[in-house]
Amino acid sequence: MSRRVPDLAVVALLVGLVVLLWPRTHRVATPYYADAALTPGALNPTVRQATIRSTICVPGWTKTVRPGAEYTGALKLRQLQEYHAHGPPSAFQEDHLISLELGGAPSDPRNLWPQPRPWADHVDKTENELREEVCSGRLTLAEAQRREWALKHGDNR
């Protein structure tokens, strides 16, 4: 019996260390939502259900429409003030409300907003999953856009 007590103490100590030292990337990101008045979203008119095979479903297509860092960096600084966001600009990703992967307008300020990390990284996974569903035919483009809009605005409908 006396042998089990030290074993349990060691296990408890190890569990405590794992919890304390677990990398931040493994923690669940705190949700952060866009303001629908400031960032209502906007669509790229060239991306429609009929054009997905020549646009969003083409590997690398988003690189051809992504705005430059000079533009998004300046916009992020302005929008951080509009959102009354706190912290360094590097803690935020200027992100598309409707992602380029789902046909969001690339440079329209109504479709861009300062999304904090690590929430931005968490949402990127969902954007990619929705794009895969659209390109596989399991989901319509409009439904994927609706789901992404709801996710980023905190609308659970």
Side-chain angles (χ1 to χ4, degrees):
M1 185 73 150
S2 62
R3 195 120 189 31
R4 288 188 176 219
V5 172
D7 290 344
L8 290 175
V10 169
V11 168
L13 178 65
L14 288 174
V15 168
L17 284 171
V18 167
V19 168
L20 286 174
L21 299 175
W22 194 257
R24 297 189 96 214
T25 57
H26 288 80
R27 294 184 184 153
V28 175
T30 302
Y32 182 86
Y33 303 115
D35 181 312
L38 294 173
T39 313
L43 299 177
N44 181 341
T46 64
V47 180
R48 300 177 312 281
Q49 188 68 44
T51 65
I52 62 172
R53 298 281 168 234
S54 61
T55 56
I56 67 168
C57 296
V58 174
W61 181 81
T62 59
K63 291 177 187 172
T64 68
V65 296
R66 187 173 305 282
E70 217 172 89
Y71 172 76
T72 57
L75 182 61
K76 179 181 9 179
L77 293 176
R78 188 180 88 219
Q79 289 181 334
L80 284 169
Q81 291 179 348
E82 292 172 358
Y83 267 84
H84 305 287
H86 302 287
S90 61
F92 295 83
Q93 173 182 310
E94 188 68 4
D95 200 21
H96 292 89
L97 186 90
I98 303 300
S99 62
L100 299 178
E101 291 85 353
L102 292 175
S107 300
D108 190 326
R110 297 172 303 156
N111 196 47
L112 286 153
W113 67 299
Q115 192 176 42
R117 296 181 191 279
W119 183 247
D121 302 320
H122 171 76
V123 171
D124 284 347
K125 293 176 188 172
T126 302
E127 293 170 359
N128 292 328
E129 290 168 2
L130 287 169
R131 182 192 155 280
E132 287 299 318
E133 288 193 48
V134 169
C135 292
S136 71
R138 292 189 305 267
L139 197 62
T140 66
L141 178 63
E143 177 59 18
Q145 291 168 340
R146 187 201 66 74
R147 289 182 187 184
E148 184 174 33
W149 188 96
L151 169 70
K152 292 182 181 177
H153 283 120
D155 184 345
N156 296 322
R157 282 186 267 171

